[in-house]
Amino acid sequence: MDGTPPFDVERVRSSFDFVGQGRVATNNAASTQLPRELLQLYGELVPQYENVHRGQSDASVRMTARFEAAFDTIADWIGAPSRRTISIHRNTTEAINLVMYTLLTEFRDGDNVVTTMMEHNSDYVPWYALCHEILPRFGRRVECRIARFDHETGALDLDDLAELVDDRTKLVCCTGASNFLGTKPPLPEVRRIADSSGYPQPNGERRSWLLVDGAQLVPSALVDVEALDVEFLAFSFHKFLAPLGVGVLYAKEHLRRGSLPFLYGGDMIAEGRVTPDRVEYNALPWKFSAGTPNILGVVASAEALRLTIDLTGADPGRTWFRSADRIPRAISGAAMARIAAHTTSLTQRAIASLSTIPRLRVFGVPQGEVRAPLVAFTVEGLSPFAIAAALNTRGVESRAGCHCATLAHHDLGLDPPASCRLSFYLYNSTDDVDRAVEAVRAAVAVTTG
Ligand SMILES: Cc1ncc(COP(=O)(O)O)c(C=O)c1O
């Protein structure tokens, strides 16, 4: 024992108003719920609100300092060396589009990009568009290759990935955790494969760059971008307790320096350095911050990280929410370990119970093995949409559809390409799981007669 009290889900739940409405909030892979503390913070920040980098008032100076400090908190949380590696976007999708648009000019004729069959559309469609629609208009041929996964276990086929990656692979794009199969691909192995390609990058490196879609990974585990040695990591705060509208891209500083900007306009230029003939860009990270950003969303997102420590009880000796102190890795690691332990036990409980329901098929990672805190399933003879609707009548929130993992649904031969998914977060209780599974059992029983 490390001396910290056990994870107390009832205490966590007391911070969430949705609980009082009797909701079983089990669609967390789409978006998580907002803790009351963040709503209160919003309410307090609104009367103090001023734009950042655009005013000399005390209010603007204070808001700018808070906004900029939020970048430090976010950078620290993912093990990034400095705020210069962080840019803020609307969501993971926009962050990945940044990578695509800023590399657009860098692909050479005959290059390829390798992604996987288990990607969310936001980590496939941009690469599809690049290779099939955008670059052909410039007369450049770049191939998009897709690595397979094992249909039984959901494991990424590393041999296939290694076959696809060659000395023309500029970029490998891989999810950190599948939002459908639950698979957490072994990123060090993926890194090793990308490293061995020998692709000559313009900065002299001879390896493929690696983009990790962290949308499901970052809210469920502590990620260290330096240890993983990824070039790019994208994730969204609306899946990590914070309000909607904040996505993050980590990118190595030398790549940001050497890259063209993504969006052009105000604030991303060096103060006063715009003439008819020459435009100079702002210092990092503001070179990638065109236009007025989601200021309160960014501040609240950093506070969501601090609050996570308090909610999980990872550091009972003090309060991190609203503190200005840098968070040690040991503390953020302890908080994420607690979230992982709790949500893993809920997920395993759900899979064990669901597996006893006749005609029900769970997709992806086998029971008992490491997976993201979600479970997707189908029931023979029953539409996933009908299951989700039946669950809803019992107050259980699920999601039916392809969850934007459209490639994987087609690859598994699902027709229609749909499954029903339950996904868990730190405020879910075992009672939530049991209510959800019983609702599925009841829906199946009705159709069985
Ligand atoms: C694995 C994965 N990648 C990307 C996304 C897209 O995230 P966003 O909707 O925030 O752009 C999601 C959202 O569900 C996801 O689960």
Side-chain angles (χ1 to χ4, degrees):
M1 282 294 290
D2 59 3
T4 51
F7 181 83
D8 182 351
V9 71
E10 287 311 320
R11 181 166 161 263
V12 172
R13 286 168 75 80
S14 67
S15 280
F16 291 84
D17 289 329
F18 80 87
V19 171
Q21 297 172 9
R23 294 171 58 195
V24 177
T26 42
N27 186 20
N28 296 294
S31 278
T32 50
Q33 301 291 316
L34 244 74
R36 191 178 312 113
E37 288 86 340
L38 284 187
L39 287 171
Q40 282 164 353
L41 177 70
Y42 245 80
E44 286 169 36
L45 288 176
V46 167
Q48 305 171 25
Y49 179 77
E50 236 290 50
N51 209 321
V52 296
H53 302 154
R54 292 163 175 82
Q56 283 64 41
S57 65
D58 285 351
S60 178
V61 170
R62 263 198 313 268
M63 195 56 81
T64 299
R66 221 162 160 178
F67 175 74
E68 294 191 355
F71 276 62
D72 295 332
T73 304
I74 294 167
D76 285 350
W77 193 270
I78 58 170
S82 87
R83 67 165 72 153
R84 292 189 294 280
T85 61
I86 302 295
S87 56
I88 299 292
H89 308 282
R90 286 183 305 149
N91 45 42
T92 301
T93 305
E94 191 171 282
I96 294 175
N97 270 271
L98 180 154
V99 181
M100 190 273 276
Y101 278 109
T102 55
L103 290 184
L104 184 61
T105 48
E106 309 305 309
F107 280 92
R108 304 186 200 114
D109 201 44
D111 280 354
N112 64 72
V113 51
V114 178
T115 182
T116 88
M117 202 62 93
M118 67 173 81
E119 297 310 303
H120 187 283
N121 288 334
S122 63
D123 199 27
Y124 172 63
V125 179
W127 308 117
Y128 168 89
L130 178 83
C131 297
H132 294 274
E133 293 178 352
I134 301 173
L135 290 179
R137 293 193 177 202
F138 296 97
R140 240 173 305 152
R141 287 167 302 109
V142 170
E143 198 187 337
C144 182
R145 301 176 175 172
I146 311 176
R148 292 190 297 256
F149 64 88
D150 184 299
H151 284 193
E152 285 307 308
T153 65
L156 179 62
D157 186 335
L158 293 170
D159 292 337
D160 190 43
L161 183 73
E163 288 260 307
L164 296 178
V165 172
D166 62 19
D167 63 358
R168 298 308 306 271
T169 305
K170 186 169 188 69
L171 181 71
V172 175
C173 304
C174 183
T175 189
S178 155
N179 70 332
F180 165 43
L181 305 164
T183 314
K184 289 186 157 185
L187 295 177
E189 277 299 298
V190 177
R191 172 77 271 177
R192 194 187 52 71
I193 292 168
D195 276 353
S196 63
S197 73
Y199 180 90
Q201 301 284 2
N203 63 352
E205 285 181 282
R206 293 192 78 88
R207 64 173 180 174
S208 309
W209 288 335
L210 175 60
L211 161 71
V212 170
D213 171 358
Q216 298 297 337
L217 179 65
V218 174
S220 65
L222 191 73
V223 170
D224 187 323
V225 289
E226 292 221 305
L228 289 174
D229 194 21
V230 291
E231 272 70 32
F232 307 101
L233 172 82
F235 65 98
S236 298
F237 268 105
H238 68 91
K239 300 180 195 295
F240 202 162
L241 300 180
L244 305 176
V246 180
V248 175
L249 180 73
Y250 159 82
K252 283 187 175 169
E253 186 171 338
H254 71 91
L255 296 179
R256 285 201 187 272
R257 283 194 191 288
S259 147
L260 288 174
F262 171 41
L263 299 173
Y264 293 81
D267 208 31
M268 52 77 70
I269 47 93
E271 181 72 18
R273 304 286 186 153
V274 176
T275 65
D277 302 323
R278 185 173 167 76
V279 170
E280 288 175 44
Y281 300 125
N282 207 341
L284 291 173
W286 319 121
K287 173 182 169 187
F288 290 92
S289 180
T292 296
N294 180 353
I295 298 163
L296 296 186
V298 173
V299 171
S301 295
E303 289 292 348
L305 297 175
R306 296 179 176 281
L307 185 61
T308 299
I309 302 169
D310 301 341
L311 290 177
T312 55
D315 189 19
R318 60 162 296 179
T319 302
W320 284 93
F321 183 55
R322 295 171 184 260
S323 128
D325 296 347
R326 303 289 283 255
I327 304 169
R329 301 284 298 157
I331 300 292
S332 43
M336 293 314 292
R338 285 171 160 247
I339 292 181
H342 177 68
T343 54
T344 297
S345 109
L346 297 178
T347 310
Q348 294 303 335
R349 184 183 181 96
I351 295 175
S353 306
L354 286 169
S355 305
T356 65
I357 297 175
R359 310 194 323 268
L360 186 146
R361 174 182 178 194
V362 170
F363 293 99
V365 179
Q367 191 179 342
E369 292 184 19
V370 175
R371 64 149 65 214
L374 55 92
V375 51
F377 55 92
T378 51
V379 178
E380 202 188 310
L382 198 52
S383 146
F385 296 94
I387 301 174
L391 264 56
N392 186 49
T393 61
R394 290 173 166 242
V396 176
E397 298 169 13
S398 65
R399 178 175 178 191
C402 65
H403 325 297
C404 292
T406 319
L407 288 177
H409 279 76
H410 283 306
D411 201 47
L412 285 165
L414 295 174
D415 183 17
S419 57
C420 184
R421 184 183 70 188
L422 295 165
S423 48
F424 308 105
Y425 212 43
L426 80 167
Y427 39 67
N428 287 124
S429 62
T430 52
D431 189 51
D432 285 346
V433 173
D434 295 347
R435 277 182 63 187
V437 174
E438 281 321 301
V440 178
R441 198 183 298 284
V444 175
V446 167
T447 56
T448 311

